[in-house]
Amino acid sequence: MSEEVKVFGFWCSPFSRRVELALKLKGVQYEYIEEDVFKNKSPLLLKYNPVHKKIPVLLHNGKPIAESLVILEYIEETWKANPILPEDPYEKAMVRFWTKFADEKCLPALWKAGWSPENEREKAVDEACECLKTLESALKGKRFFGGETVGLVDIAANFIAFWLRLIQEATGQELLSAEKFPDLFKWTDEFGSCSVVKESLPPRDKLLAFFKARVAEAMDAQTNASK
Amino acid sequence: MAEEVKLFKTWSTPFGLRVVWALKLKGIQYDAIDEDLSNKSALLLQYNPVYKKVPVLVHNGKPISESLVILEYIDETWKQNPILPQDPLEKARERFWAKFNDEKLLPSIWGVFTKEGKEREEAIADSLENLQFVEEELTGKKFFGGEKIGLADLVFGWLAYLICVFEEVTGLKIIDERFPLLLAWIQEFSELPIIKDNFPPHDKLIIRYQAFYEKYHPAK
């Protein structure tokens, strides 16, 4: 039966890139629709995700699914090639636990540390480093969080492997270093060097420029605020 | 093989209660360990070093934390009376609404309870919008799971016994006649013996939340 798979995404969103990565890992053909999320969301997006009005949305044979982690579980259950979750219920629970931790704790803490004003920065950085340390403990010396192959935790932590490095370059901050987090740093290289992962990342220069523009905006806002 | 199932919780946590409901629904014997969160046990800290929170399920010595992760584990380990459907799209729907409750609805209603002035007005507006989405999801259904309760029902379940406590303590009406389907669902859900037999005692909840309210809204 011919399948219709579409992904509504945004070029620099780690969340829609997670969905694309999972589909590519499983060899699923899909059509990508770029949404102008800041200025002009399409009527289709608003129809398919009326609750959150956000990307990513996966559309499978006309049925929409929203929320990237919900989409990833759906993809895993629908296309069985190259599983991203283990079979054993306890191992699965551990993967879900760490996926939630990466998504709900690490990402917000890292984002905050990158963009917080001067006076809040030290505390934000400390919290972000705590998160990274905790997440690193889940690696246990493995090549990927998923063991020998990329799994759900790796996909959920994509932000750390790629976006974070570029934010660090744009802001001049160094949260994730090889000295402080040797295992996690090594993981970012392993993850980033997978061909399927490389195919599902935004263009490096474009993303770096995007973050540099954000840094400039933030600095302008701070300067104006202190006038 | 003899199974050992333990659940670390408190008497009042809605996150622990959803796990209790799932265990009871499936007829699983377990030991309940009620924690004093002001004096957490060494075992709890050992079993949940990352968050140091309840609930924690320990199955044959192996701990699982985070209530939604625990619920999925329970459903995959004990197959009777499933709380998730087989169909991946239906499963995605249940997971979507479970997340919506935890990430949007519950925080917005808690905001109504804890905030003041303009912030409270915003929390009320958010809550009404969130409740409207939930109301629409119930269209044509007895439960979120359809004819039987499922994951989303257990996760929304706190509405059935805690909203009336919030309303009594704050004097505000949170779920009113604008939400007839939700009110009907609360009624149906609360009539299930497994559900209502495990509601925390109403009077004790009033005392607890009255104390919280006074903390968030100190008399000037």
Side-chain angles (χ1 to χ4, degrees), chain A residues 8 35 41-49 54-55 57:
Chain A
F8 291 77
E35 282 284 328
K41 291 176 181 175
S42 74
L44 267 187
L45 177 65
L46 302 179
K47 170 182 157 193
Y48 289 138
N49 191 2
K54 284 181 171 181
I55 55 95
V57 173

Side-chain angles (χ1 to χ4, degrees), chain A residues 3-216:
Chain A
E3 294 218 271
E4 195 198 53
V5 183
K6 297 187 191 199
V7 175
F8 291 77
F10 184 55
W11 72 274
C12 66
S13 159
F15 306 101
S16 59
R17 294 286 178 170
R18 286 171 176 172
V19 173
E20 291 194 81
L21 174 53
L23 290 170
K24 287 192 201 284
L25 270 168
K26 287 166 177 285
V28 178
Q29 300 292 329
Y30 65 94
E31 187 194 327
Y32 176 78
I33 295 135
E34 173 77 2
E35 282 284 328
D36 180 1
V37 296
F38 289 125
K39 294 188 217 122
N40 193 18
K41 291 176 181 175
S42 74
L44 267 187
L45 177 65
L46 302 179
K47 170 182 157 193
Y48 289 138
N49 191 2
V51 173
H52 299 292
K53 305 174 180 53
K54 284 181 171 181
I55 55 95
V57 173
L58 181 80
L59 197 69
H60 184 205
N61 294 331
K63 305 262 173 76
I65 302 119
E67 294 294 281
S68 66
L69 296 187
V70 176
I71 296 171
L72 291 177
E73 295 248 16
Y74 175 83
I75 288 172
E76 173 72 349
E77 283 152 12
T78 306
W79 294 283
K80 307 286 190 185
N82 299 331
I84 56 176
L85 271 170
E87 291 270 351
D88 173 67
Y90 188 76
E91 293 308 313
K92 226 188 246 197
M94 293 303 99
V95 168
R96 286 181 175 135
F97 175 90
W98 288 111
T99 299
K100 255 175 150 273
F101 181 79
D103 196 55
E104 292 173 16
K105 295 288 166 200
C106 285
L107 257 70
L110 289 166
W111 191 255
K112 199 169 160 203
W115 306 111
S116 50
E118 203 74 57
N119 58 333
E120 291 170 22
R121 191 159 303 161
E122 200 183 321
K123 182 162 178 259
V125 166
D126 282 345
E127 282 172 13
C129 286
E130 271 304 309
C131 281
L132 288 175
K133 185 150 153 262
T134 304
L135 188 64
E136 189 179 53
S137 74
L139 255 181
K140 298 194 180 91
K142 292 178 291 181
R143 190 171 162 213
F144 299 110
F145 289 97
E148 277 306 301
T149 53
V150 165
L152 186 63
V153 182
D154 301 275
I155 299 172
N158 66 343
F159 177 87
I160 297 168
F162 187 75
W163 281 255
L164 180 61
R165 303 272 286 256
L166 293 178
I167 291 174
Q168 292 187 163
E169 211 175 305
T171 59
Q173 268 189 334
E174 201 184 38
L175 283 165
L176 175 58
S177 69
E179 293 74 41
K180 278 195 281 179
F181 308 104
D183 285 351
L184 197 57
F185 194 84
K186 185 156 158 276
W187 167 79
T188 65
D189 283 337
E190 289 275 10
F191 184 77
S193 62
C194 293
S195 55
V196 120
V197 170
K198 276 197 267 208
E199 282 170 39
S200 65
L201 289 174
R204 194 182 183 282
D205 294 340
K206 197 176 169 194
L207 190 60
L208 184 58
F210 176 82
F211 284 135
K212 282 187 170 163
R214 288 287 305 264
V215 170

Side-chain angles (χ1 to χ4, degrees), chain B residues 8-179:
Chain B
F8 289 74
K9 62 180 187 68
T10 62
W11 70 270
S12 61
T13 165
F15 301 97
L17 182 51
R18 35 173 97 152
V19 178
V20 168
W21 281 330
L23 291 168
K24 296 234 184 239
L25 216 68
K26 289 167 179 279
I28 300 160
Q29 301 292 326
Y30 67 98
D31 278 328
I33 295 127
D34 274 352
E35 284 280 328
D36 170 6
L37 295 182
S38 65
N39 186 18
K40 293 174 186 179
S41 72
L43 266 185
L44 177 66
L45 301 178
Q46 176 196 326
Y47 286 140
N48 190 0
V50 173
Y51 294 107
K52 306 174 176 54
K53 281 179 170 180
V54 292
V56 176
L57 185 82
V58 185
H59 184 205
N60 294 334
K62 292 183 173 175
I64 303 126
S65 307
E66 293 296 280
S67 62
L68 296 184
V69 176
I70 296 171
L71 290 174
E72 297 241 18
Y73 175 81
I74 288 172
D75 209 43
E76 283 154 12
T77 305
W78 294 280
K79 307 284 191 187
Q80 65 276 27
N81 300 333
I83 58 174
L84 275 171
Q86 290 282 351
D87 174 64
L89 190 65
E90 291 306 306
K91 234 190 235 190
R93 198 180 43 77
E94 295 271 341
R95 287 176 177 142
F96 176 90
W97 289 106
K99 253 175 154 276
F100 182 80
N101 178 77
D102 282 4
E103 293 172 13
K104 298 280 173 203
L105 183 66
L106 198 151
S108 63
I109 294 180
W110 187 240
V112 174
F113 188 84
T114 56
K115 297 194 167 148
E116 301 193 299
K118 185 156 182 290
E119 283 189 323
R120 169 181 269 193
E121 295 301 319
E122 284 167 7
I124 290 172
D126 283 345
S127 298
L128 289 176
E129 193 186 65
N130 292 335
L131 285 167
Q132 188 55 39
F133 286 129
V134 178
E135 174 81 4
E136 280 160 24
E137 178 57 20
L138 277 171
T139 307
K141 295 199 289 196
K142 186 175 169 191
F143 297 113
F144 293 97
E147 279 304 301
K148 292 189 303 179
I149 60 173
L151 179 77
D153 295 275
L154 298 186
V155 173
F156 282 124
W158 69 282
L159 295 169
Y161 71 91
L162 213 43
I163 284 293
C164 55
V165 172
F166 286 5
E167 290 177 343
E168 208 176 306
V169 168
T170 61
L172 293 171
K173 196 85 184 108
I174 300 170
I175 299 183
D176 60 25
E177 65 282 339
R178 275 176 289 190
F179 307 105

